[in-house]
Coordinates of all heavy atoms in Angstrom, one line a residue:
D244 N -2.5 56.5 -13.3 CA -1.9 55.5 -14.2 C -1.4 54.2 -13.5 O -1.3 53.2 -14.0 CB -0.6 56.1 -14.8 CG -1.0 57.4 -15.6 OD1 -1.5 57.2 -16.7 OD2 -0.8 58.5 -15.1
M245 N -1.2 54.4 -12.2 CA -0.8 53.3 -11.3 C -1.4 53.6 -9.9 O -1.7 54.8 -9.6 CB 0.7 53.2 -11.2 CG 1.4 52.9 -12.5 SD 3.2 52.8 -12.3 CE 3.7 54.5 -12.5
I246 N -1.6 52.6 -9.1 CA -2.1 52.9 -7.8 C -1.3 52.2 -6.7 O -0.5 51.2 -7.0 CB -3.6 52.4 -7.7 CG1 -3.7 51.0 -8.1 CG2 -4.5 53.3 -8.4 CD1 -4.9 50.4 -7.5
M247 N -1.4 52.7 -5.5 CA -0.5 52.2 -4.5 C -1.4 51.8 -3.2 O -2.4 52.5 -3.0 CB 0.5 53.3 -4.1 CG 1.7 52.7 -3.3 SD 2.7 53.9 -2.6 CE 3.3 54.8 -4.0
V248 N -0.9 50.8 -2.5 CA -1.4 50.4 -1.2 C -0.3 50.7 -0.2 O 0.8 50.3 -0.5 CB -1.9 49.0 -1.2 CG1 -2.3 48.5 0.2 CG2 -3.0 48.7 -2.2
K249 N -0.7 51.2 0.9 CA 0.3 51.6 1.9 C -0.3 51.7 3.3 O -1.4 52.3 3.4 CB 0.9 53.0 1.5 CG 1.9 53.6 2.4 CD 2.3 54.9 1.9 CE 3.3 55.5 2.8 NZ 3.7 56.9 2.4
P250 N 0.4 51.2 4.3 CA 1.6 50.4 4.3 C 1.3 49.0 3.6 O 0.3 48.8 3.1 CB 1.8 50.1 5.8 CG 1.0 51.2 6.5 CD -0.2 51.4 5.6
A251 N 2.4 48.2 3.7 CA 2.3 46.9 3.0 C 1.9 45.7 3.9 O 0.9 45.1 3.7 CB 3.5 46.6 2.2
M252 N 2.8 45.5 4.9 CA 2.8 44.2 5.5 C 1.5 44.0 6.4 O 1.1 42.9 6.6 CB 4.1 44.0 6.4 CG 5.3 43.8 5.5 SD 6.8 43.9 6.3 CE 6.8 42.5 7.3
S253 N 1.0 45.1 7.0 CA -0.2 44.9 7.8 C -1.5 45.0 6.9 O -2.6 44.9 7.4 CB -0.3 45.9 8.9 OG 0.8 45.8 9.7
Y254 N -1.3 45.1 5.6 CA -2.4 45.4 4.7 C -2.4 44.5 3.4 O -2.8 44.8 2.4 CB -2.5 46.9 4.3 CG -2.7 47.7 5.5 CD1 -1.6 48.1 6.3 CD2 -3.9 48.1 5.9 CE1 -1.7 48.9 7.4 CE2 -4.1 48.9 7.1 CZ -3.0 49.2 7.8 OH -3.2 50.0 8.9
L255 N -1.9 43.3 3.6 CA -1.7 42.4 2.5 C -3.0 41.9 1.9 O -3.1 41.6 0.7 CB -0.8 41.2 2.9 CG 0.6 41.5 3.2 CD1 1.4 40.2 3.7 CD2 1.4 42.1 2.1
D256 N -4.0 41.9 2.8 CA -5.4 41.5 2.3 C -5.9 42.6 1.3 O -6.5 42.3 0.3 CB -6.4 41.3 3.4 CG -6.5 42.5 4.4 OD1 -5.5 43.3 4.5 OD2 -7.6 42.7 4.9
I257 N -5.7 43.9 1.7 CA -6.1 45.0 0.9 C -5.3 44.9 -0.4 O -5.9 45.1 -1.5 CB -5.7 46.3 1.6 CG1 -6.3 46.4 3.0 CG2 -6.2 47.5 0.7 CD1 -7.8 46.3 3.1
L258 N -4.1 44.6 -0.3 CA -3.2 44.5 -1.6 C -3.8 43.5 -2.5 O -3.9 43.7 -3.7 CB -1.8 44.2 -1.1 CG -0.7 44.2 -2.2 CD1 -0.7 45.6 -2.9 CD2 0.6 44.0 -1.5
R259 N -4.2 42.3 -1.9 CA -4.7 41.3 -2.8 C -6.1 41.7 -3.4 O -6.3 41.5 -4.6 CB -4.9 40.0 -1.9 CG -5.7 38.9 -2.5 CD -5.3 38.6 -4.0 NE -3.9 38.2 -4.2 CZ -3.3 38.2 -5.4 NH1 -3.9 38.5 -6.5 NH2 -2.0 37.8 -5.5
D260 N -6.9 42.3 -2.6 CA -8.2 42.8 -3.1 C -8.0 43.8 -4.3 O -8.6 43.7 -5.3 CB -9.0 43.6 -2.1 CG -9.6 42.7 -1.0 OD1 -9.6 41.5 -1.2 OD2 -10.1 43.2 0.0
V261 N -7.1 44.7 -4.1 CA -6.8 45.7 -5.1 C -6.2 45.1 -6.3 O -6.5 45.4 -7.5 CB -5.9 46.9 -4.5 CG1 -5.4 47.8 -5.5 CG2 -6.7 47.7 -3.5
A262 N -5.2 44.2 -6.1 CA -4.5 43.6 -7.2 C -5.6 42.8 -8.1 O -5.4 42.8 -9.3 CB -3.4 42.6 -6.7
D263 N -6.6 42.2 -7.4 CA -7.5 41.4 -8.2 C -8.5 42.3 -9.0 O -9.0 41.8 -10.0 CB -8.4 40.6 -7.2 CG -7.6 39.4 -6.7 OD1 -6.6 39.0 -7.3 OD2 -8.1 38.8 -5.7
M264 N -8.7 43.5 -8.6 CA -9.6 44.4 -9.4 C -8.9 45.4 -10.3 O -9.6 46.0 -11.1 CB -10.7 45.0 -8.5 CG -10.2 45.9 -7.4 SD -9.6 47.5 -7.8 CE -11.2 48.4 -8.1
S265 N -7.7 45.7 -10.0 CA -7.1 46.9 -10.7 C -6.7 46.5 -12.1 O -5.9 45.6 -12.4 CB -5.8 47.4 -9.9 OG -5.2 48.4 -10.7
P266 N -7.1 47.4 -13.1 CA -6.6 47.2 -14.5 C -5.3 47.9 -14.7 O -4.7 47.8 -15.8 CB -7.7 47.9 -15.3 CG -8.3 48.9 -14.4 CD -8.1 48.4 -13.0
V267 N -4.7 48.6 -13.7 CA -3.4 49.3 -13.9 C -2.5 48.7 -12.9 O -2.9 48.0 -11.9 CB -3.6 50.8 -13.6 CG1 -4.6 51.4 -14.6 CG2 -3.9 51.1 -12.2
P268 N -1.2 48.9 -13.1 CA -0.2 48.3 -12.2 C -0.4 48.8 -10.7 O -0.8 49.9 -10.5 CB 1.2 48.9 -12.7 CG 0.9 49.2 -14.2 CD -0.5 49.6 -14.2
V269 N 0.0 47.9 -9.8 CA -0.3 48.1 -8.4 C 1.1 48.2 -7.7 O 1.9 47.2 -7.8 CB -1.1 47.0 -7.8 CG1 -1.3 47.2 -6.3 CG2 -2.5 47.0 -8.4
A270 N 1.3 49.2 -6.9 CA 2.5 49.3 -6.1 C 2.1 49.2 -4.6 O 1.0 49.4 -4.2 CB 3.1 50.7 -6.3
A271 N 3.1 48.7 -3.9 CA 2.9 48.7 -2.4 C 4.1 49.3 -1.8 O 5.3 49.1 -2.3 CB 2.8 47.2 -1.9
Y272 N 3.9 50.0 -0.7 CA 5.0 50.7 0.0 C 5.3 50.0 1.3 O 4.5 50.0 2.2 CB 4.6 52.2 0.2 CG 5.7 53.2 0.6 CD1 5.6 54.5 0.1 CD2 6.8 52.9 1.3 CE1 6.5 55.4 0.3 CE2 7.7 53.8 1.6 CZ 7.6 55.1 1.1 OH 8.6 56.0 1.4
Q273 N 6.5 49.4 1.3 CA 7.0 48.8 2.6 C 7.6 50.0 3.4 O 8.7 50.4 3.1 CB 8.0 47.7 2.3 CG 8.5 47.0 3.5 CD 9.4 45.9 3.1 OE1 10.4 46.1 2.4 NE2 9.3 44.7 3.7
I274 N 6.9 50.4 4.4 CA 7.2 51.7 5.0 C 8.2 51.7 6.1 O 8.7 50.6 6.4 CB 5.9 52.4 5.5 CG1 5.3 51.5 6.6 CG2 4.9 52.7 4.4 CD1 4.3 52.2 7.5
S275 N 8.5 52.8 6.6 CA 9.6 53.0 7.5 C 9.5 52.1 8.7 O 10.5 51.5 9.2 CB 9.7 54.5 8.0 OG 8.4 54.9 8.5
G276 N 8.3 52.0 9.3 CA 8.2 51.1 10.5 C 8.4 49.7 10.2 O 8.8 48.9 11.1
E277 N 8.1 49.3 9.0 CA 8.3 47.9 8.6 C 9.8 47.6 8.5 O 10.3 46.6 8.9 CB 7.6 47.6 7.3 CG 6.1 47.9 7.3 CD 5.4 47.7 6.0 OE1 5.6 46.6 5.4 OE2 4.6 48.5 5.6
Y278 N 10.5 48.6 7.9 CA 11.9 48.6 7.8 C 12.5 48.5 9.2 O 13.4 47.6 9.5 CB 12.4 49.8 7.1 CG 13.9 49.9 6.9 CD1 14.5 49.4 5.8 CD2 14.7 50.5 7.9 CE1 15.9 49.6 5.6 CE2 16.1 50.7 7.8 CZ 16.7 50.2 6.6 OH 18.0 50.3 6.5
A279 N 12.1 49.4 10.1 CA 12.7 49.5 11.4 C 12.5 48.3 12.2 O 13.4 47.8 13.0 CB 12.1 50.7 12.2
M280 N 11.3 47.6 12.1 CA 11.0 46.4 12.9 C 12.0 45.3 12.6 O 12.5 44.6 13.4 CB 9.6 45.9 12.6 CG 8.5 46.7 13.3 SD 7.0 45.8 13.2 CE 6.6 45.9 11.5
I281 N 12.2 45.1 11.3 CA 13.1 44.0 10.8 C 14.5 44.3 11.2 O 15.2 43.4 11.7 CB 12.9 43.7 9.3 CG1 11.5 43.1 9.1 CG2 14.0 42.8 8.8 CD1 11.1 42.8 7.6
E282 N 14.9 45.6 11.0 CA 16.3 45.9 11.3 C 16.5 45.8 12.8 O 17.6 45.3 13.3 CB 16.6 47.4 10.9 CG 16.7 47.6 9.4 CD 18.0 47.0 8.8 OE1 18.8 46.5 9.5 OE2 18.0 47.0 7.6
A283 N 15.6 46.2 13.6 CA 15.7 46.1 15.1 C 15.8 44.6 15.5 O 16.7 44.2 16.3 CB 14.6 46.8 15.8
A284 N 14.9 43.8 15.0 CA 14.9 42.4 15.4 C 16.2 41.7 14.9 O 16.8 40.9 15.7 CB 13.7 41.7 14.8
A285 N 16.7 42.1 13.7 CA 17.9 41.5 13.2 C 19.1 41.9 14.0 O 20.0 41.1 14.3 CB 18.1 41.9 11.7
A286 N 19.1 43.2 14.4 CA 20.2 43.7 15.2 C 20.3 43.0 16.5 O 21.4 42.9 17.1 CB 20.1 45.2 15.4

Side-chain angles (χ1 to χ4, degrees):
D244 301 285
M245 301 179 270
I246 51 155
M247 199 191 297
V248 172
K249 178 183 179 182
M252 290 165 71
S253 300
Y254 298 86
L255 294 177
D256 58 328
I257 307 298
L258 188 52
R259 171 45 61 194
D260 286 350
V261 166
D263 284 344
M264 59 74 78
S265 173
V267 302
V269 176
Y272 197 143
Q273 185 177 46
I274 61 162
S275 57
E277 304 177 46
Y278 178 93
M280 283 192 295
I281 291 179
E282 289 291 350

